[in-house]
């Protein structure tokens, strides 16, 4: 009795597209025509410029496909295929395929691939569609060009090439500073007081502050420099540097490393890295003269996210960029409203416009609604409330037109409850923290993630300081926050059902917010507030809580990874929705996920559940009242 | 090590002289792969046998599976699985391998299976997990059928796994109990889980494990490995 059937291989193929579309007879005969190979993590399956004559099917492990420019085309685990483009087109390969885990692959030889493609249209269609998809992605990332890549991935340190830094001591004369700039061919010079950057002098300053005023060149440079200039840490991402320069209206940004200057980045340095859509959008937004213009600019955001996802920019950076653009839109709308109100009401009273929730945390994704509030100075005139009511209405309307839906819970500055004097806010927070009522706390946690956006930041700083002092003492309040953090259960059951429901149309969708991003945000908040930490960004909160011992450092690091992965899947999903013209949300259909993503998501949700369990054990249930 | 090579060749040649004309002599007359062959060119045959027990003299092979490995690629086209017919009862061993007396009764003639396997093994290195079982039973079968023993060039993935786990700075002198078993060894490399004790699946499992082991050992070595390097236990 001869029997060559390789049941393990047949069953595996039967569970993955496009093999699942083959008739059983064909499927059963297929394994005996294939080969098996093993690749260590990091080893190459296919390389650009090298001939390849097999279709690769990942049996276990994971692979990554990159084009000739090194741009990521695709990445996937069990069931992922690679090599069809080269089989259909010509050798040599135009792609690099590398194992990113230890990987076992099945090899389907060229002639059998063609035989199956001819005999079974579904089989061929699958690869046609996949190829079109991958080529489109490869092409669009090429279209944004290598410079676009560079700027998104590089930090300030990468941009500073000049050695040594051009400096003069604080005692130097204007003439000496100008000579140093000339001999070193630099458009700026840093003025140092010891090692500290005390000021900066630029070509433009020399023109406007010295020559135009006919000043004595033997006078001190300290009289004409810009004192205490905006500086940035050396590791700041290039995009953030550009955003800072656009927002602060400066063209030279000194970089410091441990307090010492390492160089100056100019807007020209950054612009030389070519168009960066994020920065151009922010720049363009600040140029707009009316609400319609701002709204039009806001329409570019979904496409921007799509590009960033395609370029494999990390979720942490993408949400920061989306936040920066959102900030620019909101600031522009506030400025336009202030201009409009000036005629009727005169200048604005002293107030601070603060953003709340994901925007405050620098974690905005697509489709988020607006969350903001206003702190009015205690000494503002009596008509300040009326002024801010009129301002808030205009801003809310503008934001809505720009694609930010009104907050369902009415947490907006247009709601008089969230437009209070500093004194009123302090009373509000004291009540939440010291005499918490469950329902009130449930709605209030959003206010503990806040950031000043416009106006007098000191008002917000005062409030933030009070909160960081009060919260660690508010045991009952922390118990409520803990309960809230435990309420968002990770959807682990979903994955059990997933395998069973693979064949049929799965009605369930996976919620990446509740139990995923939302649960991690809640965990970070309770740990950070409990330890009296002031950061609001979830990643920063987790890392700080890990360092301070408020949470196990490994758990903190795992949660940061889980947040990054879940956020990335969510952003990719939202970018697809936006491209298809539907409203972005956080609910995913299982068919959108590769086997690799499923496995990683399940791991990420396990991390969340583990962290929740650890928190629950530390805080006994009687705590909740 | 030319001494080793000569002795292996001499053993094969003297066994060939002792074997009657036919499949066993044909097999033994073909040289084994040179021990200096680079690993990515070595032809092997992963073999697994299911038996009625562990006594080479009394117990019998009831099923066999094999699959060729050409260098770094397993060739599934050469995969074979045979249930061996015999008069003896399978007895309690059916609880291990799931092959029943009825299936055995309908099985292939033992000699024909042996002939086909010798043909597949010709010019190849025998690859098995705990290879002494396979070699012992196959040699006993050759003794019964041809009156001469089987001589093989052999690679044992169990011995290799022992090396993988115990070589290197800080490695334990002995692996933990059970750590070198086929399925535990595969798990270490993240290889898929299969249903065990089906001879072709086990042979494939052993072949895949071999590829993973070679990949790891190559990474540890500064120069390309040859067959010799995986034959020393």
């Amino acid at each position: 009795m001869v029997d060559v059937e390789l049941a393990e291989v047949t069953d595996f193929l039967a569970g993955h597209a496009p093999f699942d579309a083959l008739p059983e007879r064909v499927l059963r005969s297929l394994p005996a025509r294939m080969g098996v190979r093993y690749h260590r993590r990091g080893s190459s399956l296919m390389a650009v410029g090298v001939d390849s004559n097999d279709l690769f099917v990942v049996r276990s492990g994971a692979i990554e496909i990159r084009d000739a420019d090194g741009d990521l085309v695709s990445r996937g685990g069990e069931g992922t295929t690679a090599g069809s483009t080269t089989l259909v087109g010509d050798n040599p390969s135009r792609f690099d395929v590398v194992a990113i885990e230890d990987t076992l692959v099945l090899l389907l030889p060229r002639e059998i691939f063609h035989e199956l493609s001819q005999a079974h249209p579904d089989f061929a269609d699958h690869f046609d569609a996949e190829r079109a998809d991958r080529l489109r992605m490869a092409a669009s990332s090429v279209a944004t060009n290598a410079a676009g890549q560079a700027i998104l991935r590089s930090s300030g340190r990468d941009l500073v090439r000049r050695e040594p830094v051009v400096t003069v001591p604080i005692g130097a004369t204007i003439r000496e500073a100008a000579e140093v700039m000339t001999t070193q061919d630099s458009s700026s010079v840093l003025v140092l007081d010891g090692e500290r950057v005390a000021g900066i002098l630029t070509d433009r300053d020399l023109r406007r502050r010295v020559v135009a005023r006919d000043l004595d060149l033997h006078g001190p440079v300290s009289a004409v420099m810009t004192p205490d200039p905006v500086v940035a840490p050396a590791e700041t991402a290039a995009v953030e540097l550009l955003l800072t320069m656009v927002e602060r209206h400066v063209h030279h940004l000194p970089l410091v490393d441990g307090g010492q200057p390492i160089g100056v980045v100019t807007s020209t340095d950054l612009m030389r890295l070519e168009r960066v859509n994020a920065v151009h959008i922010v720049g363009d937004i600040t140029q707009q003269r009316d609400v319609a213009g701002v709204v039009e600019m806001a329409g570019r955001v979904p496409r921007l996210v799509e590009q960033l996802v395609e370029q494999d920019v990390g979720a942490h950076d993408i949400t920061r960029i989306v936040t920066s653009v959102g900030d620019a839109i909101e600031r522009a709308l506030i400025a336009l409203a202030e201009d409009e109100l000036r005629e009727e009401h005169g200048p604005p009273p002293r107030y601070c416009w603060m953003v709340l929730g994901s925007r405050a945390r620098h974690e905005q994704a697509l489709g988020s609604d607006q969350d903001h509030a206003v702190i009015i100075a205690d000494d503002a005139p009596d008509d300040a409330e009326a002024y801010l009511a009129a301002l808030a209405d205009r801003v809310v309307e503008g934001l809505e037109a720009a694609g930010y839906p009104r907050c369902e819970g009415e947490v907006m500055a247009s709601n008089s409850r969230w437009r209070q004097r500093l004194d009123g806010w302090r009373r509000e927070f004291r009540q939440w923290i010291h005499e918490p009522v469950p329902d009130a706390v449930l709605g209030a946690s959003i206010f503990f993630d806040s950031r000043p956006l416009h106006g007098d930041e000191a008002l917000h700083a005062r409030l933030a300081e009070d909160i960081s002092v009060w919260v660690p003492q508010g045991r009952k309040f922390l118990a409520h926050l803990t309960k809230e953090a435990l309420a968002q259960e990770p959807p682990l059951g979903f994955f059990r059902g997933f395998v069973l429901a693979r064949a049929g149309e799965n009605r369930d969708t996976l919620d990446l917010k509740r139990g995923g991003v939302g649960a991690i945000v809640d965990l970070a908040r309770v740990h950070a507030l409990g330890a009296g930490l002031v950061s609001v960004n979830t990643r920063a909160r987790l890392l700080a809580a890990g360092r301070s011992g408020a949470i196990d450092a490994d758990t903190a690091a795992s949660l940061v990874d889980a947040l990054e992965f879940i956020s990335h899947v969510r952003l990719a999903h939202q970018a697809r929705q936006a491209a298809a013209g539907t409203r972005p949300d956080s609910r995913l259909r299982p068919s959108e996920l590769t086997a690799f993503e499923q496995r990683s998501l399940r791991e990420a949700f396990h991390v969340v559940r583990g962290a929740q369990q650890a928190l629950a054990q530390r805080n006994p249930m009687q705590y909740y009242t | 090590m030319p001494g080793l090579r000569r002795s292996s060749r001499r053993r094969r040649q003297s066994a060939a002289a002792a074997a009657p004309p036919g499949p066993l002599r044909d097999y033994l007359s073909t040289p084994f792969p040179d021990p200096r062959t680079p690993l990515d060119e070595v032809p092997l045959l992963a073999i697994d046998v299911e038996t009625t027990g562990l006594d080479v003299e009394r117990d019998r092979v009831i099923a066999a599976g094999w699959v060729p490995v050409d260098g770094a690629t397993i060739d599934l086209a050469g995969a074979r699985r045979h249930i061996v017919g015999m008069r003896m009862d399978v007895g309690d061993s059916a609880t291990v391998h799931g092959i029943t007396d009825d299936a055995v009764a309908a099985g292939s003639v033992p000699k024909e299976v042996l002939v086909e396997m010798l043909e597949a093994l010709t010019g190849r290195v025998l690859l098995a997990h705990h290879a002494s079982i396979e070699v012992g039973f196959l040699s006993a079968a050759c003794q019964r059928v041809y009156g001469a023993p089987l001589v093989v060039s052999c690679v044992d993935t169990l011995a290799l796994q022992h090396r993988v786990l115990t070589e290197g700075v800080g490695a334990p002198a002995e692996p933990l109990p059970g750590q070198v078993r086929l399925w535990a060894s595969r798990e270490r490399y993240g290889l898929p889980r299969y249903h065990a004790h089906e001879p072709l699946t086990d042979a494939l499992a052993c072949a895949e494990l071999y590829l993973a082991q070679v990949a790891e050992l190559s990474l540890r070595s500064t120069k390309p490995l040859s067959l010799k390097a995986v034959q020393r236990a």
Side-chain angles (χ1 to χ4, degrees):
Chain A
M1 189 170 114
V2 182
D3 177 2
V4 296
E5 196 196 335
L6 286 144
E8 297 285 353
V9 181
T10 313
D11 290 351
F12 165 74
L13 291 174
H16 293 276
F19 303 99
D20 55 356
L22 296 173
E24 179 158 349
R25 178 184 48 80
V26 177
L27 197 60
R28 285 163 68 104
S29 70
L30 211 49
R33 310 174 77 178
M34 301 178 86
V36 182
R37 220 175 273 166
Y38 182 84
H39 287 271
R40 287 284 300 191
R41 177 208 306 258
S43 66
S44 166
L45 283 73
M46 285 174 64
V48 172
V50 177
D51 287 0
S52 178
N53 294 302
D54 294 288
L55 180 79
F56 297 93
V57 188
V58 175
R59 176 67 183 86
S60 66
I63 57 168
E64 195 173 83
I65 305 173
R66 290 182 183 273
D67 64 19
D69 295 324
D71 291 327
L72 186 73
V73 175
S74 175
R75 183 184 280 164
E78 209 179 289
T80 303
T81 57
S84 70
T85 307
T86 311
L87 293 180
V88 171
D90 289 322
N91 268 323
S93 169
R94 283 181 289 143
F95 296 89
D96 279 320
V97 180
V98 171
I100 53 173
E101 292 174 12
D102 291 348
T103 297
L104 192 68
V105 285
L106 294 169
L107 283 70
L108 186 74
R110 177 183 283 270
E111 60 276 13
I112 299 170
F113 174 83
H114 285 304
E115 187 188 308
L116 291 172
S117 298
Q118 267 163 25
H120 307 283
D122 285 352
F123 185 87
D125 286 353
H126 171 87
F127 290 105
D128 285 346
E130 184 182 86
R131 236 174 1 260
D133 213 32
R134 287 179 182 173
L135 285 176
R136 183 181 58 77
M137 278 171 68
S140 69
S141 66
V142 169
T144 55
N145 88 32
Q149 293 274 316
I151 193 163
L152 289 164
R153 288 182 185 153
S154 52
S155 71
R157 190 187 290 281
D158 304 326
L159 298 171
V160 177
R161 279 178 298 266
R162 185 186 291 278
E163 293 279 351
V165 192
V166 183
T167 61
V168 290
I170 187 106
T173 63
I174 298 171
R175 190 196 173 89
E176 282 164 351
E179 275 171 8
V180 167
M181 288 167 71
T182 307
T183 54
Q184 305 219 25
D185 192 23
S186 170
S187 62
S188 68
V189 60
L190 294 180
V191 182
L192 297 190
D193 181 4
E195 283 181 346
R196 190 182 72 89
V197 179
I200 185 170
L201 185 75
T202 67
D203 276 344
R204 196 170 134 118
D205 297 335
L206 282 172
R207 195 171 70 237
R208 296 186 1 171
R209 296 180 192 161
V210 181
V211 179
R213 291 187 200 158
D214 199 17
L215 282 192
D216 179 6
L217 296 184
H218 298 289
V221 68
S222 56
V224 291
M225 69 184 188
T226 302
D228 300 320
V230 183
V231 299
E235 304 310 329
T236 311
V239 169
E240 293 245 358
L241 291 177
L242 252 177
L243 292 171
T244 306
M245 288 161 93
V246 171
E247 284 172 15
R248 307 295 285 260
H249 302 291
V250 295
H251 299 279
H252 293 77
L253 197 54
L255 293 182
V256 292
D257 189 8
Q260 287 187 31
I262 62 156
V264 176
V265 173
T266 68
S267 47
T268 325
D269 287 339
L270 291 169
M271 287 309 167
R272 203 166 42 223
L273 288 168
E274 288 289 335
R275 296 185 69 82
V276 180
N277 290 311
V279 177
H280 282 269
I281 291 179
V282 171
D284 290 350
I285 287 166
T286 58
Q287 310 283 316
Q288 298 308 311
R289 297 277 162 265
D290 55 24
V291 174
V294 175
V295 168
E296 196 193 321
M297 293 299 121
R300 295 203 219 153
V301 177
R303 175 66 193 135
L304 169 69
V305 171
E306 201 182 337
Q307 284 174 347
L308 294 170
V309 169
E310 281 171 7
Q311 290 169 7
D312 206 31
V313 176
H316 175 69
D317 290 327
I318 297 178
T319 51
R320 285 193 84 88
I321 291 168
V322 172
T323 299
S324 296
V325 176
D327 283 358
I329 291 169
E330 202 156 321
R331 280 205 190 96
L333 291 171
I334 295 169
L336 288 169
E338 282 186 352
D339 285 348
E340 237 179 274
L341 291 172
R342 206 173 302 271
E343 273 182 30
E344 204 181 320
H345 293 264
R350 196 156 72 89
Y351 76 100
C352 178
W353 181 283
M354 56 179 174
V355 286
L356 307 168
S358 64
R359 173 81 75 72
R361 296 190 304 265
H362 284 104
E363 290 160 14
Q364 191 154 44
L366 289 177
S368 329
D369 51 11
Q370 25 180 317
D371 295 307
H372 39 68
V374 160
I375 311 170
I376 305 169
D378 289 331
D379 59 6
D382 288 345
D383 63 355
E385 271 84 358
Y387 175 93
L388 284 158
L391 180 99
D393 283 343
R394 285 173 162 78
V395 175
V396 167
E397 209 172 290
L399 284 172
E400 199 179 7
Y404 299 89
R406 285 166 187 264
C407 172
E408 280 179 26
E410 287 287 314
V411 180
M412 296 185 291
S414 52
N415 179 345
S416 63
R417 171 124 197 253
W418 309 130
R419 202 170 59 226
Q420 298 197 46
R421 302 243 164 188
L422 177 60
D423 199 38
W425 278 112
R426 298 184 68 217
R427 230 178 302 122
E428 197 87 56
F429 273 96
R430 210 174 313 141
Q431 169 116 32
W432 282 327
I433 296 166
H434 292 306
E435 300 149 47
V437 186
D439 288 353
V441 170
L442 209 67
S445 59
I446 190 171
F447 291 97
F448 289 85
D449 302 348
S450 70
R451 179 166 60 84
L453 183 77
H454 175 89
D456 189 347
E457 297 190 3
L459 295 170
H460 180 269
R462 180 63 209 278
L463 200 55
E465 196 188 315
D466 285 346
I467 294 169
S468 71
V469 173
W470 292 337
V471 170
Q473 305 156 6
R475 288 169 60 85
K476 219 165 138 192
F477 167 75
L478 283 171
H480 282 301
L481 276 190
T482 302
K483 192 176 175 186
E484 203 180 326
L486 299 181
Q488 305 208 35
E489 209 179 314
L492 283 166
F494 180 88
F495 290 95
R496 281 193 296 277
F498 190 87
V499 181
L500 300 172
R502 195 201 294 277
E505 182 57 40
N506 195 323
R507 277 177 293 115
D508 292 327
T509 52
L510 181 60
D511 190 341
L512 296 178
K513 190 169 179 191
R514 193 184 162 74
V517 175
I520 299 172
V521 165
D522 281 358
L523 282 166
R525 185 188 297 119
V526 70
H527 283 296
L529 288 178
L533 303 169
V534 291
S535 323
V536 293
N537 177 258
T538 300
R539 182 192 180 111
R541 274 177 167 170
L542 288 169
L543 294 175
R547 277 194 300 273
S548 74
I551 181 176
D552 174 61
D554 286 342
T555 306
S558 301
L559 282 171
V560 167
D561 290 344
L563 176 69
E564 170 68 25
F565 187 79
I566 301 173
S567 304
H568 205 272
V569 172
R570 175 161 79 143
L571 283 164
H573 161 73
Q574 293 184 337
R576 284 193 295 270
Q577 286 183 315
T582 48
R583 204 187 139 195
D585 60 23
S586 299
R587 303 198 68 94
L588 217 70
R589 273 207 319 282
S591 54
E592 287 185 63
L593 292 169
T594 65
F596 173 73
E597 286 170 330
Q598 275 172 45
R599 212 170 34 188
S600 307
L601 270 182
R602 188 170 47 207
E603 267 170 41
F605 285 125
H606 269 295
V607 166
V608 176
R609 190 168 66 176
Q612 286 180 335
Q613 283 165 343
L615 177 66
Q617 275 166 16
R618 220 184 54 187
N619 297 268
M621 294 306 272
Q622 67 261 24
Y623 218 175
Y624 303 147
T625 62
Chain B
M1 222 182 294
L4 178 83
R5 223 178 111 225
R6 253 204 314 279
S7 95
S8 152
R9 183 165 60 191
R10 248 204 315 272
R11 273 198 309 129
R12 178 177 59 74
Q13 283 168 343
S14 64
L24 180 61
R25 180 184 274 190
D26 293 347
Y27 161 78
L28 290 169
S29 307
T30 310
F32 295 151
D34 190 307
R36 290 168 303 187
T37 313
L39 272 189
D40 55 4
E41 291 171 19
V42 173
L44 307 97
L45 189 72
I47 295 181
D48 181 72
V49 297
E50 299 294 328
T51 62
T52 54
L54 290 175
D55 187 326
V56 174
E57 296 305 321
R58 239 189 37 230
D59 289 310
R60 292 288 183 272
V61 171
I62 55 169
W66 60 79
V67 60
V69 181
D70 297 323
T73 308
I74 299 168
D75 178 14
L76 295 179
R80 289 292 178 276
R81 174 177 182 265
H82 283 281
I83 290 179
V84 181
M86 58 180 167
R87 284 178 296 276
M88 181 179 173
D89 281 356
V90 172
D92 286 347
S93 66
T95 55
V96 177
H97 46 64
I99 299 168
T100 59
D101 289 331
D102 286 349
V104 169
S108 312
V109 180
K111 189 177 169 184
E112 287 172 6
V113 178
L114 189 61
V115 168
E116 196 181 330
M117 202 204 63
L118 285 172
E119 276 170 13
L121 188 60
T122 300
R124 289 182 179 271
V125 174
L126 187 148
L127 176 66
H129 199 76
H130 199 357
S132 61
I133 300 275
E134 272 69 24
V135 175
F137 273 94
L138 295 175
S139 190
C142 287
Q143 279 287 3
R144 273 194 301 274
V145 176
Y146 302 108
L150 180 73
V151 176
V152 295
S153 168
C154 171
V155 168
D156 188 341
T157 50
L158 185 139
L160 278 181
Q161 191 63 19
H162 194 279
R163 247 179 74 191
V164 163
L165 295 174
T166 55
E167 261 183 7
V169 182
E174 276 303 313
L176 296 173
Q179 229 182 349
V180 293
R181 299 179 63 165
L182 179 58
W183 303 102
S185 305
R186 285 174 59 88
E187 211 174 306
R188 184 175 181 280
Y189 293 100
L191 293 167
R193 300 173 77 93
Y194 293 154
H195 294 102
H197 288 303
E198 190 283 307
L200 178 50
T201 302
D202 281 11
L204 176 62
C206 167
E208 290 172 351
L209 173 62
Y210 166 77
L211 296 186
Q213 289 171 331
V214 166
E216 174 156 4
L217 292 171
S218 303
L219 206 70
R220 293 182 186 179
S221 167
T222 48
K223 51 179 194 286
L225 295 178
S226 62
L227 174 58
K228 198 168 56 188
V230 293
Q231 284 189 315
R232 70 182 165 87

